[in-house]
Amino acid sequence: MSVIILLIGVSILIAGGFLIAFIWSSKDGQFDDVYSPPRRILFDQKNKTKANE
């Protein structure tokens, strides 16, 4: 029975480590989209002409 309590504690510790790593990486900008903004500039011409009309 004590093994189950030990495994639950270890699993909570590992899950907390992954949660901290996820929060740290998302605040650091690891999940920012770096692909779409340069491509959006190339295809934004139609939207600008509609706005100017």
Side-chain angles (χ1 to χ4, degrees), residues 6-53:
L6 178 71
L7 288 176
I8 289 173
V10 170
S11 64
I12 288 173
L13 188 68
I14 290 173
F18 278 110
L19 180 65
I20 290 170
F22 174 73
I23 291 171
W24 178 55
S25 63
S26 65
K27 284 186 176 181
D28 198 35
Q30 293 291 319
F31 300 112
D32 288 346
D33 187 17
V34 294
Y35 182 75
S36 295
R39 304 301 187 266
R40 194 177 321 140
I41 290 172
L42 296 174
F43 300 110
D44 236 5
Q45 192 66 25
K46 286 184 177 179
N47 293 339
K48 287 183 179 178
T49 57
K50 287 181 181 178
N52 291 336
E53 290 178 357

